[in-house]
Amino acid sequence: MAKITVRNLTKRYGDMVALDDVSLEIDSGEFLVLLGPSGCGKTTLLRCLAGLETPDEGEIRIGDDIVFSSERKIEVAPGKRGLGMVFQSYALWPHMTVRDNLKFGLDVLKIAKKPSDERLDRVLEDVGLGALGARYPSELSGGQQQRVALARLLATQPQVFLMDEPLSNLDARLRMDMRVELKRFQAETGATTVYVTHDQTEAMTMSTRVVVMKDGRILQISPPQQLYRQPESTFVADFIGMPRINLIELAADKGRATSYSNTDISIDLGWDPGLERVIVGARPEDINLSEDRAAPGEDYEVGAVLPNGPETIVQLSRGVTSVLARVGHDTSLLPGQMVRLSYRSEAINVYDARTRSLVTSPVAEVAAAS
């Protein structure tokens, strides 16, 4: 296990800035996920950690060792950084058997034959490939090839695991199974793990913390639940969550400090942000629906009802304002029906419409201070 410290890392490709003054601390034994849209810099950051890319500026420290420093002119070779990496393509030798693919890394480390064979036997059993050691990669399924790539990493016992979208080539069901396996392996080994993905489900289910990136910068670093409940910008709020969050721009009601509205709806926030215009962020599960026309709220028309196993997603509109709500699977709502809709004011987030950044309520500030 090793702590990773990144300081003021910048990487350019010509005029394009792939990493823009990135600083980050990854705790020893942590499962950290780098998340963001394509081109945000997450894979570049991973490759800089691995030594496969050379940053233009900054410093990288792994454990007690500086492995890169632009100021001190230090750049440690990838093979001497104590890292193991799983690639999106698996990168298996096609002419080698499963066992020989795993043994290759141990031969590079000059592990003696007997301890090498014992370690290979143990790792193959751990990943459920004990009977497939003599097969070639072309004779394996995608899931089995992914296990071989993981086993190769485990066999060398690195202090840091680096994973670049290792599950993206698998089907949805197998991805779920492999998430469970990867999380179990990481917990058992205790290795510091940095995992790159654009799949928010992977990020939210596997990580201890998530780093959300955009345009080469870090926007937020938080545990999964905090990231979901308190996204610090409208970009993060919109990027995290499926179905997506409802973001509604509203203006302050004159004479009512806590109330904001547009031409269609009005929402009482329960506190005064002190802004002329805000963007309200409401998760679909934070919207209350009632068929009782006397219930609190405003009238909305049901536009679509989308069953999704244990839940149902309902699209509703009032004027040109459209929102999504999450309800139980046994809902009786029908398209065209009128319902009463209200927002759970204690659960919604408020953003400054100008900066699109989170505005913290007094209650939240008191809770954070305590």
Side-chain angles (χ1 to χ4, degrees):
M1 293 190 295
K3 181 177 180 177
I4 300 174
T5 303
V6 177
R7 288 281 181 264
N8 307 115
L9 210 65
T10 297
K11 173 64 179 177
R12 303 181 187 89
Y13 297 101
D15 293 333
M16 188 193 79
V17 180
L19 294 175
D20 188 359
D21 197 29
V22 170
S23 294
L24 173 67
E25 288 193 358
I26 305 170
D27 293 334
S28 177
E30 183 172 16
F31 196 127
L32 186 100
V33 173
L34 303 178
L35 175 69
S38 297
C40 70
K42 55 188 185 295
T43 295
T44 301
L45 177 55
L46 191 80
R47 291 175 62 84
C48 287
L49 294 178
L52 302 177
E53 299 281 356
T54 301
D56 294 296
E57 300 167 19
E59 180 181 288
I60 301 172
R61 184 186 295 268
I62 298 176
D64 296 326
D65 301 320
I66 297 175
V67 297
F68 175 81
S69 173
S70 59
E71 184 178 345
R72 303 186 191 186
K73 308 299 181 184
I74 297 172
E75 185 172 7
V76 177
K80 296 182 179 180
R81 296 192 179 192
L83 311 171
M85 190 161 183
V86 177
F87 297 89
Q88 182 177 356
S89 63
Y90 309 140
L92 303 178
W93 296 106
H95 64 289
M96 292 184 180
T97 65
V98 168
R99 190 176 185 88
D100 287 341
N101 264 281
L102 270 62
K103 188 172 183 296
F104 181 81
L106 298 182
D107 289 344
V108 170
L109 295 174
K110 298 181 180 180
I111 305 296
K113 185 177 187 309
K114 183 176 180 181
S116 173
D117 287 342
E118 291 175 349
R119 191 183 298 183
L120 290 178
D121 290 339
R122 183 172 64 254
V123 170
L124 284 169
E125 288 298 327
D126 284 344
V127 299
L129 297 174
L132 303 180
R135 291 194 183 182
Y136 290 89
S138 62
E139 299 173 313
L140 303 177
S141 68
Q144 289 169 333
Q145 290 183 50
Q146 198 277 339
R147 287 171 183 265
V148 176
L150 176 62
R152 182 177 55 191
L153 180 148
L154 294 172
T156 57
Q157 298 180 347
Q159 58 181 341
V160 175
F161 292 174
L162 303 180
M163 300 187 182
D164 187 10
E165 302 196 50
L167 308 184
S168 61
N169 294 330
L170 306 181
D171 61 58
R173 183 167 183 174
L174 189 52
R175 278 203 304 271
M176 183 64 215
D177 293 339
M178 290 311 301
R179 285 174 201 147
V180 174
E181 292 298 315
L182 283 175
K183 197 164 185 178
R184 179 175 67 85
F185 288 137
Q186 193 272 339
E188 289 176 353
T189 60
T192 305
T193 300
V194 185
Y195 187 105
V196 164
T197 185
H198 63 271
D199 185 331
Q200 59 169 285
T201 302
E202 283 184 12
M204 301 296 280
T205 56
M206 298 175 67
S207 65
T208 51
R209 286 190 302 160
V210 181
V211 177
V212 181
M213 299 185 66
K214 181 188 179 187
D215 299 332
R217 297 183 177 184
I218 293 175
L219 298 188
Q220 185 170 348
I221 308 173
S222 298
Q225 278 301 105
Q226 182 180 346
L227 188 71
Y228 184 79
R229 297 310 318 179
Q230 292 182 302
E232 294 174 2
S233 68
T234 55
F235 175 85
V236 176
D238 194 41
F239 193 76
I240 299 295
M242 187 60 65
R244 67 195 307 171
I245 194 171
N246 299 294
L247 294 172
I248 309 167
E249 186 165 349
L250 304 170
D253 286 340
K254 297 189 182 302
R256 300 178 61 194
T258 65
S259 181
Y260 284 75
S261 64
N262 59 23
T263 56
D264 301 317
I265 69 173
S266 178
I267 299 177
D268 190 338
L269 302 179
W271 60 283
D272 181 9
L275 298 168
E276 284 296 317
R277 301 193 68 85
V278 299
I279 296 175
V280 168
R283 296 287 181 193
E285 61 271 23
D286 296 327
I287 290 177
N288 300 317
L289 299 183
S290 175
E291 296 182 60
D292 181 359
R293 302 302 295 277
E298 297 175 313
D299 290 331
Y300 279 69
E301 181 179 358
V302 176
V305 180
L306 309 172
N308 184 31
E311 65 183 18
T312 297
I313 306 304
V314 183
Q315 182 271 329
L316 308 105
S317 61
R318 180 177 171 89
V320 297
T321 300
S322 178
V323 298
L324 295 175
R326 192 196 307 264
V327 297
H329 70 281
D330 55 350
T331 182
S332 59
L333 296 176
L334 297 171
Q337 182 177 350
M338 300 300 294
V339 297
R340 297 290 282 180
L341 183 152
S342 62
Y343 298 86
R344 292 177 52 210
S345 59
E346 74 279 5
I348 62 178
N349 290 311
V350 178
Y351 300 89
D352 185 330
R354 182 180 59 83
T355 64
R356 306 186 80 84
S357 58
L358 182 67
V359 181
T360 306
S361 72
V363 174
E365 288 178 346
V366 170
S370 61

